[in-house]
Amino acid sequence: MSLHIDIKKKLAAFTLEVALDAEDETLGFLGESGCGKSMTLRCIAGIERPDEGVIQVNGTTYFDSAARINLSPQQRKTALLFQNYMLFPHMTVEANIAAGIDSAVAKEERRGIVARELERFGLKGFEKRYPLQLSGGQQQRVALARMLAARPGILMLDEPFSALDAHLKDVLQQNLFSLFEAFSGTILYVSHDIDEAVRLCDRIAVVDAGHVMEIAEPDVLINNPQSEAGMKLSGVKNVTEVVRTGDHRVHAPRWGVDIDLACDVPDDIKYVGIRAFYLERADGPGPNTYRMRCDGVTDARFDRSVMLQFLDRSADAEPLVAADENEMKYLHQHLAWRVDKLKVKPEDLPQTGDEVWIRFPEDRLYVVCR
C-alpha cells in the first residue's frame, strides 16, 4: 500500500474527514473550490496538522495522533507542486533542480541526478538560465524535474493548470506524462476540471464539504455516478431532489413533475439527474415527456444551449421565482438542454419563447442515494 490516510480536522465551514487507500497510481481529487482537496494534501505534506488520525506512505508513518507521531515536512520527503511552481528566482535551472536533493547525497551523484532530469524534461541547454528567462512551460518542466530529483515518497499536484487557457493547458499537460511515467508510487492530483481528471488520473475521488463521496475509475464515475456531487462534477447539468412514489416512479417537487425510471427505485433515493445532451425533443405527450418553454438560448461553435421551464407543474411544485429574485433557485427550476447544431437544421433549432415537448429517456437517468 503506497498511501493510507484516515484523518479528521475541524475547519470553519465543515470537518474534514478523509479515509482512503491508494496504490501506485494517479488518484485525482475532484471537487469545488474550498471543499478540502488542498487541505488534504497539506496535511499529508506536514504543512497542516490533522486533529486526529493516521497518515502512512510506503509503510512509513507520517502522522499518528494516538502514537504521537508527527514527522516534519522535511522528514516526510513529499513533493507538492502548486500552480505557481515556486521556483527560486535567484537560482539557475540546474540549481533549482538540485535544491530538492538530499544534502547527504554525494556531489558527483547530485550532478548525475540533475543531468538525468534535464534530459528527461527537455531542458538541456537551459542549465544556466534563471526562471525569469524561461517560458511558462519551461518553468513547469523545471518544477517537475525538481520534484523527481528529490526522490519523494509521494507526488502531489495542486491545480497546476487552473489559471491557464485551454490551449496552453493541453500543451503543458504533456509534461506531466513524463513525470507520471518516471515515478513509481502514489500521485495525488487536485482538480475541479472533470476533463483534466479523466485525462490524467487512474481513479478519481469526488470530494464534497470535506468528505470523499465516492472513488471510481473515470469511465465509471461518468457513466454511473453514485452521489449528487459525483453527478454534478461529472458534468450532469440537471439534478434535482426526488421522493419515491412507486417501484419505478419518483416525484420531483422542484420541477413539479413525476418521472418514470427503468431501474427499481431504492427506498432511500435522494436525487435524479440527466445530462443536457440526453434530453430528446418529442412530437407530443408520452411517457416522461413534458411540455416546456425555451426561456433562453446561447450558442457555442457546435451546439446550442437552451434553458427550459416546465409548463405543466403539479400543485405541490415549488413556487417559481425570477432570476433577479433568487438566481440559484431560478436555475435549479430550469433544465439545461444541449442541441447538436451539426445534426439539426438551422431553421429547426429551438428559439427563445418556443414551446416544445421534451422527453427523458428512462435508461438515461441517474439515480443516487447520497
Side-chain angles (χ1 to χ4, degrees), residues 4-10 15-20 29 36-37 39-45 48-56 63-65 76 210-211:
H4 170 71
I5 179 171
D6 187 353
I7 59 170
K8 292 184 181 180
K9 182 176 177 63
K10 186 171 180 58
T15 296
L16 180 73
E17 297 184 70
V18 175
L20 59 86
F29 274 52
K37 309 184 300 295
M39 179 59 70
T40 301
L41 267 59
R42 293 169 69 86
C43 286
I44 296 171
E48 298 281 349
R49 185 185 187 281
D51 297 330
E52 60 180 276
V54 176
I55 301 172
Q56 295 174 334
F63 177 81
D64 188 330
S65 57
R76 297 187 189 205
H211 294 77

PDB file of all heavy atoms in Angstrom, residues 4-10 15-20 29 36-37 39-45 48-56 63-65 76 210-211:
ATOM      1  N   HIS A   4      -1.946   5.373   2.878  1.00  0.00           N
ATOM      2  CA  HIS A   4      -3.093   5.117   3.754  1.00  0.00           C
ATOM      3  C   HIS A   4      -3.337   6.388   4.547  1.00  0.00           C
ATOM      4  O   HIS A   4      -2.435   6.899   5.210  1.00  0.00           O
ATOM      5  CB  HIS A   4      -2.825   3.949   4.704  1.00  0.00           C
ATOM      6  CG  HIS A   4      -3.880   3.815   5.767  1.00  0.00           C
ATOM      7  ND1 HIS A   4      -5.161   3.377   5.491  1.00  0.00           N
ATOM      8  CD2 HIS A   4      -3.853   4.103   7.106  1.00  0.00           C
ATOM      9  CE1 HIS A   4      -5.871   3.384   6.607  1.00  0.00           C
ATOM     10  NE2 HIS A   4      -5.105   3.813   7.601  1.00  0.00           N
ATOM     11  N   ILE A   5      -4.549   6.904   4.459  1.00  0.00           N
ATOM     12  CA  ILE A   5      -4.887   8.119   5.189  1.00  0.00           C
ATOM     13  C   ILE A   5      -6.276   7.972   5.799  1.00  0.00           C
ATOM     14  O   ILE A   5      -7.207   7.504   5.146  1.00  0.00           O
ATOM     15  CB  ILE A   5      -4.806   9.376   4.280  1.00  0.00           C
ATOM     16  CG1 ILE A   5      -5.194  10.639   5.058  1.00  0.00           C
ATOM     17  CG2 ILE A   5      -5.654   9.221   3.035  1.00  0.00           C
ATOM     18  CD1 ILE A   5      -4.931  11.927   4.295  1.00  0.00           C
ATOM     19  N   ASP A   6      -6.385   8.346   7.049  1.00  0.00           N
ATOM     20  CA  ASP A   6      -7.663   8.331   7.768  1.00  0.00           C
ATOM     21  C   ASP A   6      -7.577   9.436   8.812  1.00  0.00           C
ATOM     22  O   ASP A   6      -7.076   9.225   9.923  1.00  0.00           O
ATOM     23  CB  ASP A   6      -7.903   6.969   8.409  1.00  0.00           C
ATOM     24  CG  ASP A   6      -9.293   6.850   9.028  1.00  0.00           C
ATOM     25  OD1 ASP A   6     -10.022   7.871   9.075  1.00  0.00           O
ATOM     26  OD2 ASP A   6      -9.655   5.740   9.467  1.00  0.00           O
ATOM     27  N   ILE A   7      -8.021  10.648   8.432  1.00  0.00           N
ATOM     28  CA  ILE A   7      -7.820  11.812   9.292  1.00  0.00           C
ATOM     29  C   ILE A   7      -9.098  12.620   9.465  1.00  0.00           C
ATOM     30  O   ILE A   7     -10.033  12.517   8.674  1.00  0.00           O
ATOM     31  CB  ILE A   7      -6.728  12.745   8.721  1.00  0.00           C
ATOM     32  CG1 ILE A   7      -7.121  13.238   7.314  1.00  0.00           C
ATOM     33  CG2 ILE A   7      -5.366  12.066   8.723  1.00  0.00           C
ATOM     34  CD1 ILE A   7      -6.234  14.346   6.775  1.00  0.00           C
ATOM     35  N   LYS A   8      -9.097  13.430  10.516  1.00  0.00           N
ATOM     36  CA  LYS A   8     -10.151  14.417  10.754  1.00  0.00           C
ATOM     37  C   LYS A   8      -9.490  15.741  11.125  1.00  0.00           C
ATOM     38  O   LYS A   8      -8.484  15.762  11.816  1.00  0.00           O
ATOM     39  CB  LYS A   8     -11.078  13.983  11.891  1.00  0.00           C
ATOM     40  CG  LYS A   8     -11.936  12.771  11.590  1.00  0.00           C
ATOM     41  CD  LYS A   8     -12.884  12.479  12.750  1.00  0.00           C
ATOM     42  CE  LYS A   8     -13.740  11.249  12.468  1.00  0.00           C
ATOM     43  NZ  LYS A   8     -14.677  10.959  13.589  1.00  0.00           N
ATOM     44  N   LYS A   9     -10.075  16.830  10.644  1.00  0.00           N
ATOM     45  CA  LYS A   9      -9.597  18.161  11.006  1.00  0.00           C
ATOM     46  C   LYS A   9     -10.768  19.127  10.938  1.00  0.00           C
ATOM     47  O   LYS A   9     -11.401  19.266   9.883  1.00  0.00           O
ATOM     48  CB  LYS A   9      -8.480  18.631  10.070  1.00  0.00           C
ATOM     49  CG  LYS A   9      -7.907  20.008  10.436  1.00  0.00           C
ATOM     50  CD  LYS A   9      -6.746  20.371   9.534  1.00  0.00           C
ATOM     51  CE  LYS A   9      -6.209  21.757   9.830  1.00  0.00           C
ATOM     52  NZ  LYS A   9      -5.655  21.855  11.203  1.00  0.00           N
ATOM     53  N   LYS A  10     -11.053  19.767  12.048  1.00  0.00           N
ATOM     54  CA  LYS A  10     -12.181  20.701  12.099  1.00  0.00           C
ATOM     55  C   LYS A  10     -11.783  22.022  11.446  1.00  0.00           C
ATOM     56  O   LYS A  10     -10.791  22.636  11.820  1.00  0.00           O
ATOM     57  CB  LYS A  10     -12.628  20.931  13.541  1.00  0.00           C
ATOM     58  CG  LYS A  10     -13.894  21.783  13.654  1.00  0.00           C
ATOM     59  CD  LYS A  10     -14.439  21.807  15.065  1.00  0.00           C
ATOM     60  CE  LYS A  10     -15.696  22.670  15.155  1.00  0.00           C
ATOM     61  NZ  LYS A  10     -16.764  22.213  14.246  1.00  0.00           N
ATOM     62  N   THR A  15     -16.052  19.796   8.928  1.00  0.00           N
ATOM     63  CA  THR A  15     -14.979  18.954   9.452  1.00  0.00           C
ATOM     64  C   THR A  15     -14.459  18.084   8.317  1.00  0.00           C
ATOM     65  O   THR A  15     -15.220  17.323   7.695  1.00  0.00           O
ATOM     66  CB  THR A  15     -15.474  18.071  10.611  1.00  0.00           C
ATOM     67  OG1 THR A  15     -15.876  18.900  11.701  1.00  0.00           O
ATOM     68  CG2 THR A  15     -14.358  17.145  11.092  1.00  0.00           C
ATOM     69  N   LEU A  16     -13.168  18.217   8.029  1.00  0.00           N
ATOM     70  CA  LEU A  16     -12.527  17.401   7.011  1.00  0.00           C
ATOM     71  C   LEU A  16     -12.397  15.972   7.541  1.00  0.00           C
ATOM     72  O   LEU A  16     -11.794  15.749   8.593  1.00  0.00           O
ATOM     73  CB  LEU A  16     -11.146  17.966   6.679  1.00  0.00           C
ATOM     74  CG  LEU A  16     -10.323  17.228   5.621  1.00  0.00           C
ATOM     75  CD1 LEU A  16     -10.907  17.472   4.240  1.00  0.00           C
ATOM     76  CD2 LEU A  16      -8.868  17.653   5.664  1.00  0.00           C
ATOM     77  N   GLU A  17     -12.976  15.020   6.826  1.00  0.00           N
ATOM     78  CA  GLU A  17     -12.880  13.608   7.197  1.00  0.00           C
ATOM     79  C   GLU A  17     -12.542  12.818   5.945  1.00  0.00           C
ATOM     80  O   GLU A  17     -13.416  12.568   5.112  1.00  0.00           O
ATOM     81  CB  GLU A  17     -14.190  13.105   7.807  1.00  0.00           C
ATOM     82  CG  GLU A  17     -14.575  13.795   9.109  1.00  0.00           C
ATOM     83  CD  GLU A  17     -15.829  13.197   9.726  1.00  0.00           C
ATOM     84  OE1 GLU A  17     -15.755  12.056  10.198  1.00  0.00           O
ATOM     85  OE2 GLU A  17     -16.876  13.869   9.718  1.00  0.00           O
ATOM     86  N   VAL A  18     -11.279  12.435   5.821  1.00  0.00           N
ATOM     87  CA  VAL A  18     -10.807  11.743   4.622  1.00  0.00           C
ATOM     88  C   VAL A  18     -10.222  10.400   5.018  1.00  0.00           C
ATOM     89  O   VAL A  18      -9.301  10.337   5.844  1.00  0.00           O
ATOM     90  CB  VAL A  18      -9.750  12.570   3.876  1.00  0.00           C
ATOM     91  CG1 VAL A  18      -9.177  11.783   2.702  1.00  0.00           C
ATOM     92  CG2 VAL A  18     -10.343  13.883   3.378  1.00  0.00           C
ATOM     93  N   ALA A  19     -10.770   9.344   4.451  1.00  0.00           N
ATOM     94  CA  ALA A  19     -10.258   7.994   4.681  1.00  0.00           C
ATOM     95  C   ALA A  19     -10.171   7.284   3.337  1.00  0.00           C
ATOM     96  O   ALA A  19     -11.195   7.081   2.680  1.00  0.00           O
ATOM     97  CB  ALA A  19     -11.163   7.232   5.635  1.00  0.00           C
ATOM     98  N   LEU A  20      -8.954   6.930   2.917  1.00  0.00           N
ATOM     99  CA  LEU A  20      -8.784   6.206   1.653  1.00  0.00           C
ATOM    100  C   LEU A  20      -7.420   5.540   1.598  1.00  0.00           C
ATOM    101  O   LEU A  20      -6.515   5.868   2.365  1.00  0.00           O
ATOM    102  CB  LEU A  20      -8.962   7.143   0.457  1.00  0.00           C
ATOM    103  CG  LEU A  20      -8.034   8.354   0.322  1.00  0.00           C
ATOM    104  CD1 LEU A  20      -6.721   7.980  -0.394  1.00  0.00           C
ATOM    105  CD2 LEU A  20      -8.710   9.464  -0.453  1.00  0.00           C
ATOM    106  N   PHE A  29      -8.276  14.178  -7.063  1.00  0.00           N
ATOM    107  CA  PHE A  29      -9.186  14.737  -6.065  1.00  0.00           C
ATOM    108  C   PHE A  29     -10.011  15.786  -6.794  1.00  0.00           C
ATOM    109  O   PHE A  29      -9.511  16.859  -7.131  1.00  0.00           O
ATOM    110  CB  PHE A  29      -8.404  15.390  -4.918  1.00  0.00           C
ATOM    111  CG  PHE A  29      -7.995  14.443  -3.827  1.00  0.00           C
ATOM    112  CD1 PHE A  29      -7.315  13.274  -4.118  1.00  0.00           C
ATOM    113  CD2 PHE A  29      -8.302  14.708  -2.504  1.00  0.00           C
ATOM    114  CE1 PHE A  29      -6.931  12.393  -3.125  1.00  0.00           C
ATOM    115  CE2 PHE A  29      -7.937  13.839  -1.503  1.00  0.00           C
ATOM    116  CZ  PHE A  29      -7.248  12.670  -1.820  1.00  0.00           C
ATOM    117  N   GLY A  36     -11.916  20.992   0.535  1.00  0.00           N
ATOM    118  CA  GLY A  36     -10.986  20.233   1.358  1.00  0.00           C
ATOM    119  C   GLY A  36      -9.916  19.479   0.598  1.00  0.00           C
ATOM    120  O   GLY A  36      -9.095  18.781   1.192  1.00  0.00           O
ATOM    121  N   LYS A  37      -9.880  19.615  -0.722  1.00  0.00           N
ATOM    122  CA  LYS A  37      -8.889  18.893  -1.531  1.00  0.00           C
ATOM    123  C   LYS A  37      -7.469  19.320  -1.166  1.00  0.00           C
ATOM    124  O   LYS A  37      -6.622  18.485  -0.843  1.00  0.00           O
ATOM    125  CB  LYS A  37      -9.122  19.142  -3.026  1.00  0.00           C
ATOM    126  CG  LYS A  37     -10.536  18.907  -3.514  1.00  0.00           C
ATOM    127  CD  LYS A  37     -10.658  19.091  -5.015  1.00  0.00           C
ATOM    128  CE  LYS A  37     -10.271  20.479  -5.503  1.00  0.00           C
ATOM    129  NZ  LYS A  37     -11.181  21.544  -5.006  1.00  0.00           N
ATOM    130  N   MET A  39      -6.424  21.037   1.398  1.00  0.00           N
ATOM    131  CA  MET A  39      -6.122  20.825   2.810  1.00  0.00           C
ATOM    132  C   MET A  39      -5.655  19.396   3.058  1.00  0.00           C
ATOM    133  O   MET A  39      -4.750  19.152   3.865  1.00  0.00           O
ATOM    134  CB  MET A  39      -7.354  21.141   3.656  1.00  0.00           C
ATOM    135  CG  MET A  39      -7.164  20.929   5.153  1.00  0.00           C
ATOM    136  SD  MET A  39      -5.829  21.940   5.854  1.00  0.00           S
ATOM    137  CE  MET A  39      -6.577  23.574   5.746  1.00  0.00           C
ATOM    138  N   THR A  40      -6.233  18.440   2.346  1.00  0.00           N
ATOM    139  CA  THR A  40      -5.801  17.046   2.489  1.00  0.00           C
ATOM    140  C   THR A  40      -4.348  16.891   2.079  1.00  0.00           C
ATOM    141  O   THR A  40      -3.556  16.242   2.777  1.00  0.00           O
ATOM    142  CB  THR A  40      -6.700  16.131   1.628  1.00  0.00           C
ATOM    143  OG1 THR A  40      -8.059  16.267   2.050  1.00  0.00           O
ATOM    144  CG2 THR A  40      -6.276  14.679   1.775  1.00  0.00           C
ATOM    145  N   LEU A  41      -3.963  17.489   0.958  1.00  0.00           N
ATOM    146  CA  LEU A  41      -2.574  17.416   0.504  1.00  0.00           C
ATOM    147  C   LEU A  41      -1.639  18.088   1.504  1.00  0.00           C
ATOM    148  O   LEU A  41      -0.535  17.589   1.775  1.00  0.00           O
ATOM    149  CB  LEU A  41      -2.443  18.073  -0.871  1.00  0.00           C
ATOM    150  CG  LEU A  41      -2.574  17.148  -2.084  1.00  0.00           C
ATOM    151  CD1 LEU A  41      -3.919  16.438  -2.093  1.00  0.00           C
ATOM    152  CD2 LEU A  41      -2.386  17.924  -3.377  1.00  0.00           C
ATOM    153  N   ARG A  42      -2.059  19.212   2.056  1.00  0.00           N
ATOM    154  CA  ARG A  42      -1.226  19.934   3.012  1.00  0.00           C
ATOM    155  C   ARG A  42      -1.038  19.136   4.301  1.00  0.00           C
ATOM    156  O   ARG A  42       0.014  19.206   4.937  1.00  0.00           O
ATOM    157  CB  ARG A  42      -1.845  21.297   3.307  1.00  0.00           C
ATOM    158  CG  ARG A  42      -1.826  22.242   2.094  1.00  0.00           C
ATOM    159  CD  ARG A  42      -2.666  23.485   2.321  1.00  0.00           C
ATOM    160  NE  ARG A  42      -2.073  24.368   3.313  1.00  0.00           N
ATOM    161  CZ  ARG A  42      -1.166  25.301   3.061  1.00  0.00           C
ATOM    162  NH1 ARG A  42      -0.740  25.473   1.815  1.00  0.00           N
ATOM    163  NH2 ARG A  42      -0.687  26.068   4.012  1.00  0.00           N
ATOM    164  N   CYS A  43      -2.060  18.369   4.681  1.00  0.00           N
ATOM    165  CA  CYS A  43      -1.923  17.503   5.854  1.00  0.00           C
ATOM    166  C   CYS A  43      -0.926  16.383   5.580  1.00  0.00           C
ATOM    167  O   CYS A  43      -0.116  16.029   6.447  1.00  0.00           O
ATOM    168  CB  CYS A  43      -3.279  16.914   6.238  1.00  0.00           C
ATOM    169  SG  CYS A  43      -4.413  18.084   7.031  1.00  0.00           S
ATOM    170  N   ILE A  44      -0.960  15.808   4.372  1.00  0.00           N
ATOM    171  CA  ILE A  44      -0.007  14.755   4.022  1.00  0.00           C
ATOM    172  C   ILE A  44       1.410  15.307   3.994  1.00  0.00           C
ATOM    173  O   ILE A  44       2.358  14.668   4.469  1.00  0.00           O
ATOM    174  CB  ILE A  44      -0.369  14.140   2.661  1.00  0.00           C
ATOM    175  CG1 ILE A  44      -1.738  13.434   2.739  1.00  0.00           C
ATOM    176  CG2 ILE A  44       0.707  13.147   2.205  1.00  0.00           C
ATOM    177  CD1 ILE A  44      -2.277  12.978   1.397  1.00  0.00           C
ATOM    178  N   ALA A  45       1.570  16.519   3.466  1.00  0.00           N
ATOM    179  CA  ALA A  45       2.899  17.130   3.355  1.00  0.00           C
ATOM    180  C   ALA A  45       3.445  17.602   4.696  1.00  0.00           C
ATOM    181  O   ALA A  45       4.648  17.865   4.820  1.00  0.00           O
ATOM    182  CB  ALA A  45       2.855  18.300   2.382  1.00  0.00           C
ATOM    183  N   GLU A  48       0.009  21.278   7.306  1.00  0.00           N
ATOM    184  CA  GLU A  48      -1.096  21.381   8.256  1.00  0.00           C
ATOM    185  C   GLU A  48      -1.121  20.115   9.110  1.00  0.00           C
ATOM    186  O   GLU A  48      -0.709  19.044   8.662  1.00  0.00           O
ATOM    187  CB  GLU A  48      -2.442  21.533   7.531  1.00  0.00           C
ATOM    188  CG  GLU A  48      -2.567  22.783   6.678  1.00  0.00           C
ATOM    189  CD  GLU A  48      -2.879  24.024   7.505  1.00  0.00           C
ATOM    190  OE1 GLU A  48      -3.195  23.869   8.714  1.00  0.00           O
ATOM    191  OE2 GLU A  48      -2.807  25.127   6.931  1.00  0.00           O
ATOM    192  N   ARG A  49      -1.653  20.269  10.333  1.00  0.00           N
ATOM    193  CA  ARG A  49      -1.722  19.124  11.243  1.00  0.00           C
ATOM    194  C   ARG A  49      -3.178  18.709  11.438  1.00  0.00           C
ATOM    195  O   ARG A  49      -4.004  19.529  11.842  1.00  0.00           O
ATOM    196  CB  ARG A  49      -1.115  19.488  12.606  1.00  0.00           C
ATOM    197  CG  ARG A  49      -1.024  18.315  13.574  1.00  0.00           C
ATOM    198  CD  ARG A  49      -0.528  18.781  14.943  1.00  0.00           C
ATOM    199  NE  ARG A  49      -0.279  17.665  15.820  1.00  0.00           N
ATOM    200  CZ  ARG A  49      -1.221  16.991  16.495  1.00  0.00           C
ATOM    201  NH1 ARG A  49      -2.492  17.352  16.367  1.00  0.00           N
ATOM    202  NH2 ARG A  49      -0.895  15.989  17.283  1.00  0.00           N
ATOM    203  N   PRO A  50      -3.522  17.439  11.170  1.00  0.00           N
ATOM    204  CA  PRO A  50      -4.881  16.972  11.453  1.00  0.00           C
ATOM    205  C   PRO A  50      -5.143  16.988  12.961  1.00  0.00           C
ATOM    206  O   PRO A  50      -4.204  16.956  13.772  1.00  0.00           O
ATOM    207  CB  PRO A  50      -4.890  15.545  10.901  1.00  0.00           C
ATOM    208  CG  PRO A  50      -3.705  15.455   9.994  1.00  0.00           C
ATOM    209  CD  PRO A  50      -2.694  16.404  10.544  1.00  0.00           C
ATOM    210  N   ASP A  51      -6.417  17.008  13.324  1.00  0.00           N
ATOM    211  CA  ASP A  51      -6.766  16.906  14.744  1.00  0.00           C
ATOM    212  C   ASP A  51      -6.573  15.486  15.243  1.00  0.00           C
ATOM    213  O   ASP A  51      -6.204  15.277  16.402  1.00  0.00           O
ATOM    214  CB  ASP A  51      -8.225  17.330  14.962  1.00  0.00           C
ATOM    215  CG  ASP A  51      -8.456  18.783  14.599  1.00  0.00           C
ATOM    216  OD1 ASP A  51      -7.507  19.591  14.742  1.00  0.00           O
ATOM    217  OD2 ASP A  51      -9.570  19.134  14.164  1.00  0.00           O
ATOM    218  N   GLU A  52      -6.838  14.533  14.381  1.00  0.00           N
ATOM    219  CA  GLU A  52      -6.651  13.129  14.763  1.00  0.00           C
ATOM    220  C   GLU A  52      -6.534  12.284  13.509  1.00  0.00           C
ATOM    221  O   GLU A  52      -6.864  12.722  12.407  1.00  0.00           O
ATOM    222  CB  GLU A  52      -7.828  12.632  15.604  1.00  0.00           C
ATOM    223  CG  GLU A  52      -9.179  12.705  14.905  1.00  0.00           C
ATOM    224  CD  GLU A  52     -10.291  12.199  15.796  1.00  0.00           C
ATOM    225  OE1 GLU A  52     -10.502  10.960  15.824  1.00  0.00           O
ATOM    226  OE2 GLU A  52     -10.951  13.028  16.452  1.00  0.00           O
ATOM    227  N   GLY A  53      -6.014  11.058  13.710  1.00  0.00           N
ATOM    228  CA  GLY A  53      -5.945  10.132  12.593  1.00  0.00           C
ATOM    229  C   GLY A  53      -4.563   9.611  12.295  1.00  0.00           C
ATOM    230  O   GLY A  53      -3.633   9.761  13.101  1.00  0.00           O
ATOM    231  N   VAL A  54      -4.426   9.009  11.098  1.00  0.00           N
ATOM    232  CA  VAL A  54      -3.189   8.355  10.680  1.00  0.00           C
ATOM    233  C   VAL A  54      -2.902   8.691   9.224  1.00  0.00           C
ATOM    234  O   VAL A  54      -3.815   8.738   8.392  1.00  0.00           O
ATOM    235  CB  VAL A  54      -3.307   6.816  10.826  1.00  0.00           C
ATOM    236  CG1 VAL A  54      -2.047   6.128  10.294  1.00  0.00           C
ATOM    237  CG2 VAL A  54      -3.557   6.417  12.262  1.00  0.00           C
ATOM    238  N   ILE A  55      -1.612   8.939   8.922  1.00  0.00           N
ATOM    239  CA  ILE A  55      -1.152   9.094   7.539  1.00  0.00           C
ATOM    240  C   ILE A  55       0.088   8.228   7.376  1.00  0.00           C
ATOM    241  O   ILE A  55       1.077   8.409   8.104  1.00  0.00           O
ATOM    242  CB  ILE A  55      -0.805  10.560   7.200  1.00  0.00           C
ATOM    243  CG1 ILE A  55      -2.010  11.482   7.394  1.00  0.00           C
ATOM    244  CG2 ILE A  55      -0.290  10.662   5.758  1.00  0.00           C
ATOM    245  CD1 ILE A  55      -1.672  12.958   7.263  1.00  0.00           C
ATOM    246  N   GLN A  56       0.045   7.297   6.423  1.00  0.00           N
ATOM    247  CA  GLN A  56       1.189   6.438   6.155  1.00  0.00           C
ATOM    248  C   GLN A  56       1.493   6.441   4.663  1.00  0.00           C
ATOM    249  O   GLN A  56       0.570   6.367   3.837  1.00  0.00           O
ATOM    250  CB  GLN A  56       0.906   5.002   6.606  1.00  0.00           C
ATOM    251  CG  GLN A  56       0.725   4.863   8.110  1.00  0.00           C
ATOM    252  CD  GLN A  56       0.301   3.468   8.519  1.00  0.00           C
ATOM    253  OE1 GLN A  56      -0.304   2.740   7.734  1.00  0.00           O
ATOM    254  NE2 GLN A  56       0.615   3.091   9.751  1.00  0.00           N
ATOM    255  N   PHE A  63       2.100  10.526  10.277  1.00  0.00           N
ATOM    256  CA  PHE A  63       1.309  11.138  11.359  1.00  0.00           C
ATOM    257  C   PHE A  63       0.453  10.057  12.006  1.00  0.00           C
ATOM    258  O   PHE A  63      -0.141   9.227  11.315  1.00  0.00           O
ATOM    259  CB  PHE A  63       0.404  12.244  10.795  1.00  0.00           C
ATOM    260  CG  PHE A  63      -0.505  12.876  11.813  1.00  0.00           C
ATOM    261  CD1 PHE A  63      -0.035  13.870  12.662  1.00  0.00           C
ATOM    262  CD2 PHE A  63      -1.831  12.465  11.937  1.00  0.00           C
ATOM    263  CE1 PHE A  63      -0.867  14.448  13.607  1.00  0.00           C
ATOM    264  CE2 PHE A  63      -2.672  13.040  12.873  1.00  0.00           C
ATOM    265  CZ  PHE A  63      -2.189  14.033  13.721  1.00  0.00           C
ATOM    266  N   ASP A  64       0.427  10.065  13.334  1.00  0.00           N
ATOM    267  CA  ASP A  64      -0.436   9.155  14.095  1.00  0.00           C
ATOM    268  C   ASP A  64      -0.743   9.853  15.413  1.00  0.00           C
ATOM    269  O   ASP A  64       0.116   9.935  16.291  1.00  0.00           O
ATOM    270  CB  ASP A  64       0.256   7.814  14.334  1.00  0.00           C
ATOM    271  CG  ASP A  64      -0.674   6.782  14.959  1.00  0.00           C
ATOM    272  OD1 ASP A  64      -1.587   7.186  15.711  1.00  0.00           O
ATOM    273  OD2 ASP A  64      -0.485   5.581  14.702  1.00  0.00           O
ATOM    274  N   SER A  65      -1.947  10.366  15.514  1.00  0.00           N
ATOM    275  CA  SER A  65      -2.299  11.147  16.710  1.00  0.00           C
ATOM    276  C   SER A  65      -2.266  10.293  17.970  1.00  0.00           C
ATOM    277  O   SER A  65      -1.835  10.759  19.023  1.00  0.00           O
ATOM    278  CB  SER A  65      -3.680  11.777  16.539  1.00  0.00           C
ATOM    279  OG  SER A  65      -4.667  10.792  16.268  1.00  0.00           O
ATOM    280  N   ARG A  76       9.297  13.997   5.911  1.00  0.00           N
ATOM    281  CA  ARG A  76       8.303  13.251   5.132  1.00  0.00           C
ATOM    282  C   ARG A  76       8.731  13.038   3.681  1.00  0.00           C
ATOM    283  O   ARG A  76       8.264  12.128   3.014  1.00  0.00           O
ATOM    284  CB  ARG A  76       6.958  13.983   5.166  1.00  0.00           C
ATOM    285  CG  ARG A  76       6.395  14.073   6.562  1.00  0.00           C
ATOM    286  CD  ARG A  76       4.983  14.638   6.566  1.00  0.00           C
ATOM    287  NE  ARG A  76       4.540  14.918   7.917  1.00  0.00           N
ATOM    288  CZ  ARG A  76       3.273  14.957   8.311  1.00  0.00           C
ATOM    289  NH1 ARG A  76       2.302  14.743   7.434  1.00  0.00           N
ATOM    290  NH2 ARG A  76       2.950  15.218   9.555  1.00  0.00           N
ATOM    291  N   GLY A 210     -15.533  18.360   2.590  1.00  0.00           N
ATOM    292  CA  GLY A 210     -14.604  17.660   3.458  1.00  0.00           C
ATOM    293  C   GLY A 210     -14.724  16.156   3.484  1.00  0.00           C
ATOM    294  O   GLY A 210     -14.010  15.492   4.243  1.00  0.00           O
ATOM    295  N   HIS A 211     -15.611  15.574   2.663  1.00  0.00           N
ATOM    296  CA  HIS A 211     -15.825  14.139   2.661  1.00  0.00           C
ATOM    297  C   HIS A 211     -15.595  13.559   1.271  1.00  0.00           C
ATOM    298  O   HIS A 211     -15.961  14.180   0.267  1.00  0.00           O
ATOM    299  CB  HIS A 211     -17.243  13.791   3.121  1.00  0.00           C
ATOM    300  CG  HIS A 211     -17.524  14.132   4.551  1.00  0.00           C
ATOM    301  ND1 HIS A 211     -17.779  15.423   4.964  1.00  0.00           N
ATOM    302  CD2 HIS A 211     -17.568  13.350   5.655  1.00  0.00           C
ATOM    303  CE1 HIS A 211     -17.985  15.428   6.279  1.00  0.00           C
ATOM    304  NE2 HIS A 211     -17.859  14.191   6.713  1.00  0.00           N
TER     305      HIS A 211
END
